[in-house]
Structures are given as C-alpha cells and as structure tokens.
Amino acid sequence: MSGAPLIELRSVYRIYGRGEAEIRALAAVDLAIHPGEFVAVMGASGSGKSTCMNIVGCLDTPTSGAYLFQGVDTGGLSRDQRALLRRHYLGFVFQGFNLLDRTTALENVELPLIYRGMQRSERHARARRALDKVGLAGRERHTPAELSGGQQQRVAIARAIVSEPAILLADEPTGNLDTQRSHEFMRLLVELNREEGLTVVMVTHEADMADYAQRIIRFRDGRVESDSTVESAA
Amino acid sequence: MYWNTLLLALREMRRNLLRSTLTMLGIIIGVAAVITLVTLGRGATVHVASEIAGLGSNLLHLRPGSRNRGPGGISGPIEPFSLADVKAVEREIGGVKAIAPIASKTLLTVYGNSNWSTRVNGTSNGYFAARNWAVSHGRPFTESELQSGRSVCILGATVRSELFDREDPLGASLRLGRVSCQVVGVLESKGQSPFGSDQDDQILMPLKAYQRRIAGNRDVNLIYVSAKRSELTVKVKRDIEQLMRQRRRIASDQDDSFNVRDMKEVAARVSSTTRTMTSLLGAVATVSLLVGGIGIMNIMLVSVTERTREIGIRLALGARERNVLLQFLVEAVVLSSVGGVSGIVLGVLSAWAGAGMLGVPLVLSAEIILIAFGFSALVGVVFGYFPARQAARLDPIQALRHE
Ligand SMILES: Nc1ncnc2c1ncn2[C@@H]1O[C@H](COP(=O)(O)OP(=O)(O)O)[C@@H](O)[C@H]1O
Ligand SMILES: [Mg+2]
C-alpha cells in the first residue's frame, strides 16, 4: 500500500485491571490501514478484536502507545473531541444492530446528521438516499420491530454511511444473521467499498465472510498474529 | 438542534404517557395549590378591603373605655358619652363630614305573628352620611321626629324580611320590647360586615326616642365621625382625642378613658393578616412543588437507566456530552413545565370555583401565574440536572453493552 495511512496504531497496549488481575487485551499492536481498504479482523474469542475496534473507533483509548487518525495523534484528545471525531469521520455497525426502538428507519438513519446540525430537509434527503443505497427504499417509515434482522442491519449500514465517514467499523456485523442474509450483507459492503471507495474494517470469526475482504488481520492473545493481503476477493 | 431536542422530549413523554402523567401530578398539584391559594387569598384581601370601605368613608369610631383594656376585661367603670360630647365634637372639630351618636340594645321585636330579636340603634340622620348608607324605601327621620322623640323607626333589610315577608312595612306599627313604634323607612341592603356579622340585622330610631323609651338614660355608647377627606382622618382623630381628654379632664400621665379607631387602620390590619395567611399557604404549596421535583428526578433516573443503550448509541454516533445532557434536561423541563401549565389551568379553575363559593372576587394575577410557571420549569432544571449529567457521563462502550 502506498500513501499516508488513514489510521495507524503504534505499539498499542490496552490493559484492564491491575496487578494479579491484569489483562492485556492488546499488547504491542502495530497496524496501519489505508484509505479504500477492506479489512477483515479475525481471531478467537477474547483475542482483543473488539478492544482494537473500540480504540480505532475512538470509543476507548490505549493504555499506552499511539493511535494516529489521518496522521494526527489522538492521544491528546478530550472525551468531547473524540465524540466530534466520531461524529465527522467514523461510522459504526454493531453486532446487535443497535437501532433506536420505536423509531422509524428514516429517523434512525438521520440521527448522525442531527448531531451535525443539518437542516431537516437535507437530512431527510440524505437519509432516503442512504436507505435507497442499502436496498430499503420504501421502508422509511418502518420501525426496527417491523423489519427483519437483515433489514435492520441494512438500516444500521445506512446510518453508518449517511454521514459519509472516512471509515466504516463493523464488529461482527453478521453475528446475528443467517447465512444467506450474511452473504447479502457482505455483498453490500463490498459494493460500497468498490463503488464509493469506503474504507471498511470488519471483525468476524467466519472465514466465509472474511473471504470478502482484501486483507485479513488475525489476532491472538492481544497481538497481531498474521496480516495478509488476499489475492482476489470473492 | 434545539427544536429536535424538544420534539424528542415530547415524543418520549407521549410514549410513557401514564408514567409522565403520574410524574407530573406532584407539580400539577403543587402549582394548582399555589395558584388557588394565592388567588383566593388576594380575592379575600380585596373583598375585606372593599367591605371595610363600605362601612363608611373615612370613618372613625369613638367609644368609651380605654383602648388598652387588659386581658382581665374592664378596669374600672366605663364612663359613657353624652349628647354634650357629640355637640362638642360637632362644634369644635374641623374637617368633619358627618357625625352620628349611637346607643343600642338587643330587643325582641314583634309584628303580627312574627318576632325577631335584633339590635335597636338610637341615632341621628348623620348615620346615613357617616356610614355611607341610604334609605331605599320610605324616608329618613324628620327634624321634628328627632327633636320630639317620636317613636318611629327605620328597618334593616333583614328585619324587614323577617317580620314583613312581602308585605309593605311603611306605616306599620311594631313592638320593640314594650315600646311600639311606627316604620317610616327601610335601609338598603349591605350584607355581611368584614367581621362576619349581618349589617342588615338592625333597627334605627331617633336617639332621643331610644333614650327616653327604651334605655331610660342619656348615655351614648358610640359616636361615628366621618372625615371630609381621607387625608383628614389622622388629624380629625388627633383633634378628637385632644378634645375628649380636655372634656374628661384626663391628666397628662393618665391613659385615655375612651378610644378612637380609624377603620382604615383596621382594614390595613385585616389585609395584612390575610396576606400573612396567603404567604403561609403559598409556602406549604411550595413544599409540594419540591416534592414534585423529587418525583421528576426519580423518574428521570429510571429513564436514564432504561435508556442506557440509546445513550450509548447516541454517544457512538457522535453526540457530545452536552448534547445528551441537554436532551435529558429538556425532557425533565418539559415534564415539569407541562405539569406547571396543567397546574395553572387547574389552579385557575379551582380558584374560580372557590371564589364563587366564598363570594370573593377572582383576582387573577399574571405575576403569580408567571412565577408558578417559572418555578415549575426551574424545578425541572434543578431536579433534572443530576440524572441528565448521569446520562451524559456514561461510558459509550459500557452503555452499548447494556441490556
Ligand atoms: N471492560 C473490560 N474489563 C476487563 N476486561 C475486559 C474488558 N473488555 C474486554 N476485556 C478482556 O479483554 C480481552 C479481549 O476482549 P475483546 O477485545 O472483547 O475480545 P474479542 O472481541 O476478540 O472477543 C478479553 O480477555 C476480555 O475478557
Ligand atoms: Mg468481540
């Protein structure tokens, strides 16, 4: 890969607890991800994948080491500044969908735009476009309870991409979907990655899903075990 | 952004309508109580003030007996006034509009088959001007009736209706105790006095006739003096006091053996008492507002716990602490101020009903309504702040994991 990395971890440690009970969730992790990449993160349960995603997502901070976003060290950022960084540059998709209950798909999708202070009409237009992109045109008024799991996860993607983030972070996004929906979901991610140049980092423990990615990073006991670029994606 | 926060708060309230209503109940009751009590209190004050003004304009009551009578009652015999005292006041005191001597006794009055126990007042025509009172039917006393001591009388409205029902009393002859007397007039109705007695329950007759036929003495028990103008009452009062001290030869180190009371002072005292009552009741109501505020805090804390995941989502999507803080604060304020507005409506309605029942005017003050509203909104801010801060400080990762 050439050019400046979008995100870069330098010797990152994340340690929970103290003394005897100390857990090294991440140890000496060095990692660089460039714009436009589609990265799958794999590893056994408890190997530190989610911890790593939380740090990349600015929801958590390293115990030591540096995390650079677009070349800027995030070490000095306050809680509020990290919120602003998430607001403007990051999109999240979670395993449990994490949509707001009793709130329509459209309102869920426009949520990040509200925090950007965007006008209602423009918010709606953008949210509709995002829903259209994930194949949910016509479902704007449906609440999560009225949508299938696959559709809910698509709403979650629409919400993540509506603000045109620099990077999409997905922690086991297919964990709650059946195989068919999982593949549909992965094809959608690949499409967004190819056509919009969206950078995607996705945690999965299913090899099938990881095969969609261009690059696979494996964690083991908080360390990067292997980092390989796949020759041809599915 | 602010508009969205407000919409969100209203929607959240609608979602938990029953819970929101119950939460607001404390505020509703508190505000309604404040509005009702204060409004009725003010109505009562206005009522009492106007009633006292109705007793007579710029009226002074001159009574025998010291003002500082001890708790043991009368110290020594009370020396009544005489007609000479009345004449002296008439002659010596400037700025007087009207003067009326009173001597009175409660007697059983009989007409036909009806009888009624009432107060009989011997007085002069000065009574009507001093008390600001008119004869609505018939006429006042004539000069010759006053001089000769003829047995004629003027009935209060209550006595008239008790004894005569619908019959015309003019010219009728009724018995006052053992004396018979002829009705020449009926007073217009004045209703209750500010002290609760029925002012229409009385009979007037010329002082001379009363003294000769009923009392059997020359005593005068009360003198009404009304000043020409309101500013003059203080001076007139002082002059009367001086005059009476002279006439009674009271040494400078002795207390007055009489007292002059300015009805304006009484009015001021009565309304200050009502004001004290009003603020006391207001304080009680304020306590219930505080209790309402604690209810809001409680429900907001529950809400924050229930919606931890929502907060986590919002934080992950880029909400700043202040965004979340504002969201929950606005929810609390919306709860408390919707409660406040409902309380104002309820309070105004019950004040209206209460004023009708008590027969006092409805004195709505915009000031009190604004204060009540402001206070309820403030309760929302104060008691909503802690739960809102709790929400804003949540750790997004923990919050997202919350079930
Ligand atoms: N908040 C926490 N407190 C203590 N230990 C934690 C916490 N979060 C994660 N861990 C520990 O850190 C390690 C890595 O966890 P995680 O990153 O969630 O793994 P993965 O997502 O790969 O399953 C695990 O041993 C886990 O128990
Ligand atoms: Mg995990």
Side-chain angles (χ1 to χ4, degrees):
Chain A
M1 279 290 160
S2 58
L6 178 58
I7 62 174
E8 193 177 355
L9 301 187
R10 288 189 191 154
S11 179
V12 163
Y13 284 77
R14 181 64 175 93
I15 297 165
Y16 291 110
R18 271 170 205 285
E20 292 285 289
E22 186 177 288
I23 296 169
R24 291 186 167 199
L26 292 178
V29 171
D30 287 299
L31 204 60
I33 294 172
H34 291 78
E37 278 195 288
F38 190 144
V39 180
V41 176
M42 298 191 73
S45 178
S47 58
K49 307 182 296 288
S50 292
T51 305
C52 182
M53 291 294 272
N54 287 341
I55 286 174
V56 170
C58 279
L59 293 165
D60 196 7
T61 50
T63 309
S64 71
Y67 167 34
L68 283 68
F69 187 88
Q70 292 187 338
V72 179
D73 191 352
T74 62
L77 298 186
S78 69
R79 194 178 132 99
D80 240 16
Q81 286 170 319
R82 274 183 274 124
L84 289 175
L85 203 145
R86 290 197 293 275
R87 178 184 293 185
H88 292 284
Y89 297 101
L90 302 172
F92 291 90
V93 175
F94 307 93
Q95 177 177 1
F97 315 143
N98 274 334
L99 300 175
L100 296 186
D101 293 339
R102 297 189 286 182
T103 304
T104 65
L106 190 75
E107 288 167 329
N108 263 293
V109 174
E110 71 173 349
L111 198 55
L113 303 181
I114 290 179
Y115 288 121
R116 287 194 174 191
M118 197 177 279
Q119 287 301 309
R120 188 185 149 90
S121 54
E122 191 180 352
R123 256 172 19 219
H124 277 198
R126 284 210 194 190
R128 273 173 207 285
R129 236 179 292 142
L131 280 168
D132 193 26
K133 219 178 276 178
V134 300
L136 283 177
R139 300 292 160 93
E140 289 88 353
R141 300 265 155 241
H142 291 233
T143 61
E146 297 163 352
L147 295 169
S148 71
Q151 288 172 327
Q152 287 185 50
Q153 199 58 304
R154 282 159 183 269
V155 173
I157 291 206
R159 183 179 66 187
I161 62 170
V162 74
S163 55
E164 294 168 358
I167 187 166
L168 178 77
L169 301 170
D171 195 344
E172 304 197 32
T174 59
N176 287 3
L177 301 180
D178 62 37
T179 315
Q180 200 196 332
R181 305 279 162 251
S182 296
H183 283 288
E184 281 173 20
F185 178 84
M186 289 312 298
R187 280 196 289 273
L188 180 59
L189 277 191
V190 168
E191 194 184 308
L192 288 169
N193 172 251
R194 290 218 183 116
E195 284 168 19
E196 320 252 330
L198 180 68
T199 312
V200 179
V201 179
M202 177 193 73
V203 172
T204 182
H205 48 239
E206 293 166 89
D208 284 7
M209 304 304 139
D211 284 346
Y212 285 93
Q214 303 156 352
R215 178 181 168 194
I216 298 176
I217 299 171
R218 283 175 201 282
F219 275 79
R220 187 192 192 109
D221 297 334
R223 292 172 187 275
V224 177
E225 187 190 38
S226 71
D227 186 343
S228 57
T229 304
V230 182
E231 286 311 314
S232 63
Chain B
M1 181 79 218
Y2 293 109
W3 181 240
N4 279 308
T5 313
L6 188 66
L7 287 179
L8 207 61
L10 287 171
R11 171 194 286 198
E12 207 56 50
M13 203 174 111
R14 225 183 33 226
R15 275 183 183 168
N16 293 304
L17 199 57
L18 179 63
R19 187 161 90 181
S20 307
T21 312
L22 290 174
T23 308
M24 288 185 305
L25 214 52
I27 298 284
I28 294 177
I29 292 172
V31 169
V34 170
I35 301 273
T36 309
L37 296 175
V38 171
T39 304
L40 287 182
R42 294 203 174 188
T45 310
V46 167
H47 180 64
V48 166
S50 76
E51 290 271 285
I52 285 177
L55 283 180
S57 40
N58 317 322
L59 192 62
L60 299 173
H61 285 195
L62 174 55
R63 291 177 198 274
S66 157
R67 162 168 268 183
N68 321 313
R69 265 187 265 158
I74 305 147
S75 53
I78 293 177
E79 186 192 339
F81 300 121
S82 66
L83 210 51
D85 292 319
V86 179
K87 291 262 152 59
V89 171
E90 221 163 6
R91 198 172 54 238
E92 313 264 335
I93 308 291
V96 170
K97 181 176 86 181
I99 183 163
I102 302 278
S104 65
K105 196 171 198 173
T106 300
L107 285 175
L108 189 70
T109 63
V110 183
Y111 176 74
N113 294 326
S114 318
N115 60 62
W116 183 249
S117 174
T118 189
R119 193 131 194 101
V120 177
N121 290 317
T123 188
S124 68
N125 275 340
Y127 185 87
F128 307 110
R131 291 291 317 267
N132 228 350
W133 211 335
V135 174
S136 64
H137 185 50
R139 57 168 175 79
F141 306 118
T142 62
E143 199 51 41
S144 76
E145 281 163 356
L146 290 167
Q147 293 306 324
S148 68
R150 250 195 80 201
S151 188
V152 291
C153 59
I154 296 174
L155 306 183
T158 302
V159 178
R160 177 234 164 112
S161 64
E162 289 296 336
L163 291 183
F164 291 90
D165 199 14
R166 256 174 232 118
E167 203 183 319
D168 185 359
L170 284 194
S173 184
L174 50 86
R175 296 196 67 80
L176 308 179
R178 279 171 290 120
V179 180
S180 92
C181 100
Q182 194 192 3
V183 179
V184 297
V186 178
L187 285 170
E188 70 178 15
S189 173
K190 249 194 181 181
Q192 274 199 349
S193 81
F195 313 103
S197 62
D198 179 4
Q199 300 181 86
D200 297 327
D201 189 6
Q202 65 159 337
I203 292 178
L204 302 180
M205 68 190 299
L207 181 68
K208 219 167 213 168
Y210 173 87
Q211 287 176 334
R212 192 178 301 156
R213 295 167 194 263
I214 293 172
N217 61 37
R218 298 267 171 134
D219 295 350
V220 169
N221 312 115
L222 166 66
I223 303 173
Y224 287 130
V225 180
S226 81
K228 277 189 180 135
R229 289 191 309 279
S230 166
E231 321 83 77
L232 288 174
T233 48
V234 176
K235 181 188 169 294
V236 170
K237 182 179 177 210
R238 212 181 37 234
D239 291 350
I240 292 176
E241 279 165 351
Q242 219 164 17
L243 175 70
M244 291 310 294
R245 283 182 76 89
Q246 262 170 33
R247 288 181 59 81
R248 296 196 154 190
R249 297 197 178 75
I250 298 170
S252 57
D253 59 340
Q254 271 181 311
D255 279 343
D256 295 347
S257 62
F258 60 91
N259 67 81
V260 186
R261 268 206 284 174
D262 183 345
M263 292 318 280
K264 270 209 300 272
E265 279 173 27
V266 178
R269 214 166 325 130
V270 171
S271 40
S272 102
T273 309
T274 353
R275 264 201 301 279
T276 311
M277 285 298 291
T278 304
S279 38
L280 213 68
L281 293 170
V284 171
T286 307
V287 171
S288 71
L289 264 182
L290 288 183
V291 173
I294 292 166
I296 286 186
M297 174 139 90
N298 187 30
I299 235 51
M300 289 310 294
L301 283 171
V302 170
S303 178
V304 169
T305 309
E306 281 179 355
R307 289 156 65 196
T308 300
R309 239 155 96 91
E310 176 194 327
I311 296 162
I313 294 168
R314 289 179 181 277
L315 289 170
L317 295 184
R320 297 170 76 169
E321 273 188 36
R322 67 166 79 141
N323 301 134
V324 176
L325 184 92
L326 192 72
Q327 183 188 340
F328 280 85
L329 204 55
V330 166
E331 265 178 46
V333 172
V334 163
L335 263 184
S336 70
S337 34
V338 169
V341 169
S342 318
I344 286 170
V345 172
L346 192 69
V348 167
L349 284 178
S350 69
W352 174 74
M357 249 151 50
L358 296 176
V360 301
L362 184 66
V363 190
L364 284 179
S365 100
E367 179 196 350
I368 264 308
I369 288 174
L370 284 177
I371 288 175
F373 180 77
F375 205 88
S376 58
L378 186 72
V379 162
V381 173
V382 169
F383 290 94
Y385 183 78
F386 177 70
R389 205 190 56 175
Q390 202 95 319
R393 298 224 172 141
L394 283 175
D395 171 26
I397 299 171
Q398 306 276 337
L400 280 168
R401 265 200 217 123
H402 188 89
E403 270 320 303

